Amino acid sequence: IAFFDTNGILLEPRQIRAPFQTCYHDQTPILINSRSELVETFPDIRVEFIRRLGTEAFILCPILSEEETLGVLAVTNPAPRRPLVQSDLSLLMAIASSIGISIRNAQLLETMSQQLQEIRTRDEQLELYQEKLEELVVQRTRELHEALRQAEEASLAKSQFLANMSHEIRTPMYGVLGLNDILLQSDLDDKQKRLARMVSDSGKTLLGIIDSILDFAKIEAGRVELEDLDFDLGKLLASTLEIFEPQAAARNLCLTLNIDPGIPACLRGDPGRLRQVLTNLVGNAIKFTPKGGVSLHVHPDGKDSGKVRIRFEVTDTGIGISADKLTTIFDTFQQADGSTSRKFGGTGLGTSIAKHLVELMGGKIGCESTPGRGSTFWFMLPLESVTSQELSPPEKSASLGRSESSPDSRGRRILVVEDNPTNREIVQTILVDAGYEVALAENGKIGVDMVAAKAFDLVVMDIQMPEMDGYEATRTIRNMGGWQNLPIIALTANATEEDKEKCVSAGMDAVVTKPMTRDHFLQVIAEHMRHGISPQSLKNPEGSLDQDSSSPLDMTTALKDFQLEESVFLGIVAYFLKGASIQREKLAILLEQNNLPQIAREAHSIRGGAANLHAGRVARAAGALEKQAKAGLAKDLSLLMKGLECEFDHLETFLRNLQAERARDAAPG
């Protein structure tokens, strides 16, 4: 702190130490009116200070702020007219207080200014960092999108490659196996039959490898979907092992099945995927077992969240697996020994696929083995137990022998659209032997023209053809007046789920992949031949709805399947009609809204309920409405809806008449 005299001369600290230090440090005001009072108060004061101060009277006031001394306010009275008094001191103290507040405010303002400047600087730096971060995020996002695009393109290329590979291999294999199957049906001597069966077995082995590769690709892409169906476990296990009986007998192996009595007979899950896992494990066990046998043990393993845990164990007496290889036995493309694939064959995908499927179904899988003594592959699945009454009635499938026609096939015309002459020959031979009348078309364009010109009950449609492929041909047929409900069965070597979905989206009713088995192909044909509604069966020449001459309700079959008293079953039918009346009202509203997807779902529900009750006419009418709506075609929906209403009326009339007849029979006298 600097102090000046009245002439503006700087006073040195030692000259002013006593009074000013006292005021500054003690924060005490000082009032002096004479030299004697100054000397008395500060004995050590220098006379030079008094002389240079130029006065004998002065007041010193500490400048305070928040109990901190900021300085000293000094006021002198060089020519006193009156002595300085306490009121002068109070006035100066008030001024000193204001000065302290002003100084503190100035300091605060300066501090705030500095802080604001620092904040501005930090904000500028933060904004710069943010801009750089945004640029970095944009760059990284662009790189990630590019990487994702490349990955998707690679995945699509892989899927397309697998689809193309499947098609290119399956198409000639279809010809080989199809012609070989026809050859086996002909008159051959024992040696020729043995050679033909060897061709068939080799072809099926090759197809098994292709299917494994496609299954692995679907699992890897996360596109495997599980079904939730009721099934008989005992029948599934027996039919699965039955496939391997010839193979086991040829190797002199004992193939056994042991099912614990505590296992529920009826379960709910995905029987197809369960069969696939068992097929992989049992097939491997037989392949790696030169002598002894293979057994399948099934027993309960507790309950979990209301489901029954079932343990499946496939045990063999084969070559076994060393302990260091057990950790990789479920890895992709891995076998226990590199020489194994050379000696026994295989891709190393079977156990990997089994592991993925078991885990997808919520289970666990493992292996225990001793080299030279055999292995046990086990897996556990949680499955829901259902009562036999909850099981859906089994569908009746066509079982047609060679040169035997079913009542459904006689007089029914099928158009086969296929560009491969070998495949046309195979399909034509199978269908003609089953009693169908067959016409052939070499590509989709010819097929469309033939459908427009002639009446067919069903079309078998290849996919990849010149001129017009199967997708476009199907869409063209669906857009033709009156042919929206003609059953069209896709026959394709493309076996991926995407290909099947594409067939359904194009308007096809079912997909059969090449190479198909004769029985399965005929079963699919018979299934859709029964339920399909063509323009010939939909309308009579006058354009009104054709009246189906069959009974609205197949009582004989229904009572046999359900094993119920007639009165109980008729009560179930009445309950179905009561619920269906609500669905019919809903369908009428949906029809006004032109809500095709919801119409398809409601019609599907009605069709399923009617089919379960063996109300065939209602089921067929609902099926026709469902197919039309699924195809996205609004044309003829009103007509099909009237047809469904008519069939409901027939069923209700049939039920009332039957109940009235039973009431008369029960009346006394």
Side-chain angles (χ1 to χ4, degrees):
I1 301 174
F3 296 95
F4 300 85
D5 63 11
T6 55
N7 298 316
I9 299 173
L10 178 66
L11 300 178
E12 298 179 5
R14 62 186 178 84
Q15 297 173 319
I16 60 174
R17 180 174 8 185
F20 282 94
Q21 267 196 336
T22 299
C23 177
Y24 185 88
H25 289 292
D26 293 348
Q27 297 182 343
T28 303
I30 297 173
L31 189 152
I32 300 295
N33 273 312
S34 64
R35 181 180 300 179
S36 60
E37 186 181 351
L38 177 62
V39 173
E40 182 182 349
T41 306
F42 301 99
D44 297 332
I45 192 77
R46 288 177 177 270
V47 177
E48 180 66 19
F49 167 75
I50 299 173
R51 185 185 68 79
R52 299 190 70 174
L53 191 61
T55 182
E56 295 181 4
F58 61 87
I59 295 176
L60 301 179
C61 295
I63 300 173
L64 303 175
S65 176
E66 299 177 358
E67 298 183 357
E68 178 185 357
T69 305
L70 302 178
V72 175
L73 173 64
V75 176
T76 63
N77 188 9
R81 296 177 183 176
R82 63 174 179 82
L84 298 172
V85 295
Q86 187 63 38
S87 60
D88 297 327
L89 178 63
S90 298
L91 177 61
L92 290 176
M93 282 295 294
I95 294 172
S97 177
S98 298
I99 292 173
I101 293 172
S102 299
I103 292 173
R104 176 59 69 187
N105 287 340
Q107 290 175 337
L108 290 174
L109 285 173
E110 184 178 1
T111 302
M112 288 177 62
S113 178
Q114 292 175 351
Q115 291 177 344
L116 286 173
Q117 184 59 39
E118 292 176 358
I119 291 173
R120 290 192 191 98
T121 303
R122 286 197 296 268
D123 286 345
E124 291 174 358
Q125 292 175 344
L126 182 61
E127 186 176 355
L128 182 61
Y129 292 150
Q130 187 174 359
E131 290 176 358
K132 290 182 178 180
L133 181 60
E134 289 176 354
E135 291 176 2
L136 185 61
V137 169
V138 170
Q139 181 181 352
R140 292 290 184 268
T141 303
R142 189 183 300 115
E143 292 173 355
L144 287 173
H145 279 305
E146 178 62 21
L148 179 62
R149 185 189 63 79
Q150 293 178 358
E152 289 175 346
E153 287 181 355
S155 177
L156 180 62
K158 183 180 71 174
S159 299
Q160 190 60 47
F161 168 75
L162 289 172
N164 291 339
M165 181 187 71
S166 169
H167 181 272
E168 294 303 320
I169 295 177
R170 283 173 174 270
T171 296
M173 282 304 302
Y174 169 64
V176 171
L177 293 178
L179 291 174
N180 192 72
D181 186 49
I182 294 173
L183 184 62
L184 281 169
Q185 301 293 334
S186 62
D187 296 329
L188 301 175
D189 58 34
D190 292 341
K191 180 179 180 180
Q192 291 170 332
K193 285 185 177 180
R194 180 175 63 83
L195 294 174
R197 290 193 185 97
M198 290 175 63
V199 171
S200 181
D201 292 341
S202 298
K204 290 175 181 177
T205 300
L206 176 58
L207 284 174
I209 295 173
I210 297 171
D211 289 338
S212 294
I213 295 173
L214 291 175
D215 280 338
F216 174 72
K218 286 188 288 186
I219 290 171
E220 193 179 47
R223 294 175 178 173
V224 176
E225 296 182 359
L226 297 179
E227 293 185 315
D228 192 26
L229 304 173
D230 300 339
F231 64 95
D232 187 314
L233 180 62
K235 290 181 180 179
L236 184 145
L237 297 175
S239 62
T240 301
L241 290 192
E242 186 179 359
I243 299 172
F244 295 99
E245 286 179 354
Q247 188 177 348
R251 299 168 66 91
N252 293 319
L253 299 177
C254 180
L255 185 61
T256 59
L257 170 62
N258 297 297
I259 306 178
D260 190 285
I263 293 289
C266 303
L267 296 167
R268 180 171 294 147
D270 192 330
R273 295 302 180 184
L274 173 57
R275 185 190 299 274
Q276 186 175 357
V277 173
L278 290 170
T279 299
N280 273 323
L281 298 184
V282 174
N284 275 348
I286 292 176
K287 181 167 63 174
F288 296 117
T289 303
K291 62 180 180 179
V294 174
S295 61
L296 172 58
H297 298 267
V298 185
H299 57 86
D301 191 26
K303 292 186 176 181
D304 185 13
S305 301
K307 293 186 177 182
V308 181
R309 289 199 307 269
I310 299 180
R311 186 180 176 94
F312 301 81
E313 297 178 352
V314 178
T315 303
D316 63 64
T317 58
I319 60 176
I321 305 168
S322 60
D324 61 322
K325 299 297 183 182
L326 280 176
T327 57
T328 62
I329 196 64
F330 292 105
D331 292 348
T332 306
F333 302 112
Q334 290 290 328
Q335 290 187 335
D337 189 341
S339 62
T340 303
S341 61
R342 294 191 297 271
K343 183 176 180 180
F344 296 96
T347 61
L349 284 174
T351 53
S352 175
I353 292 173
K355 178 177 184 294
H356 282 90
L357 291 178
V358 167
E359 292 176 349
L360 192 63
M361 291 186 284
K364 298 179 180 178
I365 191 170
C367 177
E368 302 163 2
S369 183
T370 302
R373 299 184 62 182
S375 306
T376 296
F377 281 82
W378 62 268
F379 65 95
M380 183 279 298
L381 287 181
L383 298 169
E384 185 177 350
S385 175
V386 297
T387 61
S388 58
Q389 286 80 9
E390 290 177 314
L391 279 171
S392 300
E395 292 189 8
K396 313 255 184 327
S397 60
S399 178
L400 303 175
R402 180 176 182 268
S403 299
E404 294 178 357
S405 61
S406 73
D408 286 337
S409 66
R410 287 192 296 268
R412 309 304 290 270
R413 293 173 53 80
I414 296 178
L415 173 63
V416 177
V417 187
E418 167 69 69
D419 66 316
N420 187 292
T422 303
N423 294 343
R424 286 201 302 272
E425 179 69 25
I426 294 170
V427 175
Q428 182 181 25
T429 301
I430 292 174
L431 293 176
V432 169
D433 283 351
Y436 294 103
E437 297 180 13
V438 179
L440 303 175
E442 297 178 3
N443 58 56
K445 186 176 184 305
I446 297 175
V448 170
D449 293 340
M450 292 180 68
V451 169
K454 299 180 181 179
F456 292 99
D457 297 288
L458 185 141
V459 175
V460 176
M461 182 75 71
D462 187 28
I463 298 301
Q464 293 189 7
M465 296 180 291
E467 301 265 349
M468 181 186 288
D469 63 24
Y471 302 125
E472 185 180 353
T474 300
R475 285 191 289 266
T476 303
I477 292 172
R478 293 302 185 212
N479 290 326
M480 291 164 52
W483 290 102
Q484 291 83 4
N485 299 290
L486 173 66
I488 300 178
I489 311 298
L491 184 60
T492 175
N494 296 334
T496 65
E497 289 300 321
E498 292 86 351
D499 292 315
K500 294 178 182 178
E501 291 174 2
K502 193 174 179 180
C503 290
V504 174
S505 298
M508 299 182 187
D509 299 279
V511 180
V512 177
T513 56
K514 303 174 186 177
M516 82 274 187
T517 63
R518 178 179 181 276
D519 289 343
H520 174 66
F521 179 55
L522 291 176
Q523 179 180 341
V524 173
I525 294 294
E527 170 91 13
H528 288 80
M529 189 69 77
R530 284 196 300 272
H531 296 302
I533 299 181
S534 65
Q536 288 73 23
S537 60
L538 179 64
K539 299 178 181 179
N540 62 23
E542 285 72 33
S544 61
L545 291 172
D546 187 13
Q547 301 300 316
D548 193 338
S549 60
S550 62
S551 173
L553 192 64
D554 187 351
M555 290 288 295
T556 303
T557 304
L559 294 177
K560 180 180 178 181
D561 284 351
F562 287 104
Q563 296 183 356
L564 296 173
E565 294 291 335
E566 184 183 90
S567 59
V568 176
F569 175 69
L570 293 180
I572 295 173
V573 176
Y575 183 79
F576 164 73
L577 288 171
K578 183 178 179 181
S581 65
I582 300 175
Q583 290 178 293
R584 291 162 63 182
E585 293 176 0
K586 189 174 181 180
L587 275 172
I589 296 173
L590 293 171
L591 192 61
E592 292 179 359
Q593 298 172 346
N594 200 32
N595 189 338
L596 301 187
Q598 192 63 34
I599 291 174
R601 284 191 285 272
E602 291 296 329
H604 176 80
S605 175
I606 294 174
R607 179 172 68 86
N612 284 337
L613 294 174
H614 296 278
R617 288 170 54 171
V618 172
R620 287 191 290 274
L625 182 63
E626 177 191 2
K627 289 179 182 179
Q628 183 82 344
K630 276 186 176 180
L633 302 171
K635 186 178 180 181
D636 289 338
L637 277 181
S638 298
L639 179 64
L640 293 171
M641 184 64 190
K642 290 179 181 178
L644 179 59
E645 293 283 357
C646 182
E647 294 303 339
F648 268 121
D649 292 342
H650 283 306
L651 180 58
E652 290 173 346
T653 301
F654 176 85
L655 182 64
R656 284 196 303 270
N657 292 340
L658 187 59
Q659 289 173 330
E661 181 181 344
R662 296 296 182 264
R664 287 194 299 271
D665 293 342

